[in-house]
Amino acid sequence: MSSIFGDRIRVSVFGQSHSDAIGAVLDGVPAGERIELPLLRRFMERRAPGRSSLSTTRKEADEFELLCGFLPDTEDGASVISCGAPIAAIIRNRDQRSKDYEELKRVPRPGHADLTAEIKYKGFQDVRGGGHFSGRLTAPLCFAGGIAKQILEAKGIYIGAHIERIGSVSEPRYDALKLTKEELLSAQFRVFPVNDRAIGEQMKELIEAARMDCDSVGGVVECGVLGLPAGLGEPMFDGVENRLAAAIFGIPAVKGLEFGEGFSAALLHGSEHNDPYRMAEDGSIVYESNHAGGILGGISTGMPIVFRCAFKPTPSISKPQDSIDIKAHEDRELIIKGRHDPCIVPRAVPVVEAVTALCIYDLLLSGR
């Protein structure tokens, strides 16, 4: 099972949704990097379940237990310093209801990995809460990514994201040419991470309507990176887009990804999509637009990197669905039990930031 990614920074995620604990190992962080633990906990709280009526009622604090990789930096333990050894932490699972998943050993959920996991692992997979396929595994990703995010910010590189769309309701996208640090980070500590709160209320109404109808709804997260120098990434198979795409698609429920203008570029002429250059008075090169989203030929341009990822609706819904009984070899109607998000997009925002931070930090350390 492939649960490791990265080159200079290697991230390994372990555990299952209903195992005793989940966790991550982060290998390759140089010695001497200072991490503020309260900031890391605050970052992880953004993903934690049960923070609002729009998420699952499963209560998990997502409190991490740091096992190794750091030395104390302050007497009160508020900050630590990396010592060069692999960093490891676990997060206890404390609010499981495994009995809700008994039927899924025989009747797979449409839209989930239950059936494909059954075929691949021949019945030995953990079906409880989705096992290793669960969105629960994004908590250790946020632990590792939260560390990378702090290290990058100390180097002047900032990563932020917001909900760009829920169903048919969308808010304005980032201005990829004039994106500021303030705009990039403005949504990060809101329970519902949008830039326009009025539009956010409309999104909430859409999620609530889906929940009341025993259904779910999907959406889009937009992410930006500021301060990344030009020249990182390789052409063809090891570009910035390639590295980000491989990791972003490891987030459960991601079904689409676009950089810059993305699919809208297909509707433009070259004269509209090209980003013209000009020389500034100080001799630097200035971009007059940023339709490319900060990447050309797989290589960073020095402009803001902007991309969007689409999340499918949560497959676990309370409406009756057509499925099969794989033991009896007959058709079955399935009514899913358990606690599930009517929309995972709000809690996915910090996960996108975390995975992006890990990829960008990896690229920065590789220096290529």
Side-chain angles (χ1 to χ4, degrees):
M1 186 176 283
S2 178
S3 302
I4 303 173
F5 76 96
D7 182 13
R8 289 290 301 275
I9 293 290
R10 299 283 286 170
V11 184
S12 177
V13 176
F14 59 88
Q16 300 107 252
S17 180
H18 288 200
S19 58
D20 289 342
I22 53 179
V25 177
L26 183 60
D27 196 0
V29 175
E33 297 290 359
R34 188 171 188 267
I35 299 299
E36 298 286 346
L37 296 182
L39 286 180
L40 182 56
R41 291 189 179 96
R42 190 179 181 194
F43 178 71
M44 293 190 63
E45 284 173 359
R46 294 171 55 196
R47 193 224 71 95
R51 295 180 70 209
S52 79
S53 62
L54 300 177
S55 74
T56 173
T57 56
R58 179 175 176 175
K59 299 289 186 181
E60 298 284 1
D62 281 5
E63 177 61 42
F64 58 86
E65 299 175 29
L66 196 56
L67 302 180
C68 57
F70 287 111
L71 297 175
D73 182 48
T74 55
E75 291 185 4
D76 61 3
S79 68
V80 292
I81 298 284
S82 62
C83 64
I87 296 165
I90 60 171
I91 302 165
R92 302 284 180 181
N93 289 324
R94 303 187 184 279
D95 188 22
Q96 308 99 311
R97 287 200 331 214
S98 298
K99 65 180 183 299
D100 290 340
Y101 296 86
E102 285 296 320
E103 187 179 21
L104 303 185
K105 294 177 181 178
R106 300 178 61 106
V107 186
R109 294 168 292 179
H112 267 281
D114 296 341
L115 182 57
T116 51
E118 169 71 23
I119 294 168
K120 184 172 182 66
Y121 300 112
K122 300 176 175 57
F124 294 103
Q125 73 280 2
D126 186 354
V127 300
R128 302 169 303 165
H132 195 69
F133 296 90
S134 170
R136 180 79 184 126
L137 274 295
T138 60
L141 272 179
C142 282
F143 166 79
I147 291 172
K149 198 166 185 283
Q150 284 194 41
I151 294 172
L152 289 172
E153 288 183 358
K155 302 178 188 300
I157 298 171
Y158 296 90
I159 295 167
H162 70 115
I163 302 172
E164 190 269 335
R165 174 180 293 274
I166 297 292
S168 60
V169 178
S170 62
E171 72 169 9
R173 294 178 172 180
Y174 291 141
D175 184 330
L177 180 64
K178 301 176 182 178
L179 183 60
T180 65
K181 174 185 169 183
E182 290 69 30
E183 182 185 5
L184 184 70
L185 303 180
S186 65
Q188 65 176 341
F189 290 119
R190 295 175 183 167
V191 175
F192 197 80
V194 292
N195 292 324
D196 188 315
R197 298 193 186 194
I199 295 177
E201 290 302 315
Q202 297 177 42
M203 293 178 178
K204 290 180 184 179
E205 290 173 5
L206 200 62
I207 296 172
E208 179 62 14
R211 187 182 72 84
M212 294 300 294
D213 195 34
C214 300
D215 214 331
S216 62
V217 65
V220 175
V221 173
E222 183 175 48
C223 185
V225 182
L226 282 180
L228 190 69
L232 292 177
E234 299 284 348
M236 294 191 72
F237 303 117
D238 203 20
V240 178
E241 294 115 324
N242 307 63
R243 301 276 285 270
L244 280 168
I248 292 292
F249 275 109
I251 302 173
V254 170
K255 300 301 290 183
L257 179 62
E258 63 175 9
F259 292 87
E261 293 294 336
F263 283 94
S264 297
L267 308 177
L268 303 176
H269 288 85
S271 57
E272 297 171 305
H273 186 266
N274 291 345
D275 296 318
Y277 314 120
R278 63 177 174 83
M279 297 300 303
E281 292 183 3
D282 62 1
S284 62
I285 299 170
V286 176
Y287 287 77
E288 295 187 339
S289 60
N290 188 20
H291 299 296
I295 307 164
L296 287 170
I299 301 169
S300 60
T301 66
M303 295 296 288
I305 290 177
V306 176
F307 65 89
R308 288 164 296 280
C309 43
F311 286 82
K312 68 180 182 180
T314 313
S316 291
I317 59 176
S318 299
K319 285 181 178 290
Q321 299 181 82
D322 292 334
S323 186
I324 54 173
D325 186 321
I326 56 179
K327 305 298 183 186
H329 298 282
E330 61 186 20
D331 294 339
R332 276 279 302 274
E333 182 180 79
L334 174 66
I335 298 178
I336 297 173
K337 301 175 183 178
R339 301 162 293 177
H340 307 282
D341 294 82
C343 180
I344 65 167
V345 177
R347 294 174 58 212
V349 171
V351 183
V352 173
E353 292 178 16
V355 170
T356 301
L358 289 165
C359 286
I360 295 300
Y361 187 34
D362 193 27
L363 276 167
L364 201 65
L365 286 180
S366 70
R368 57 182 179 86

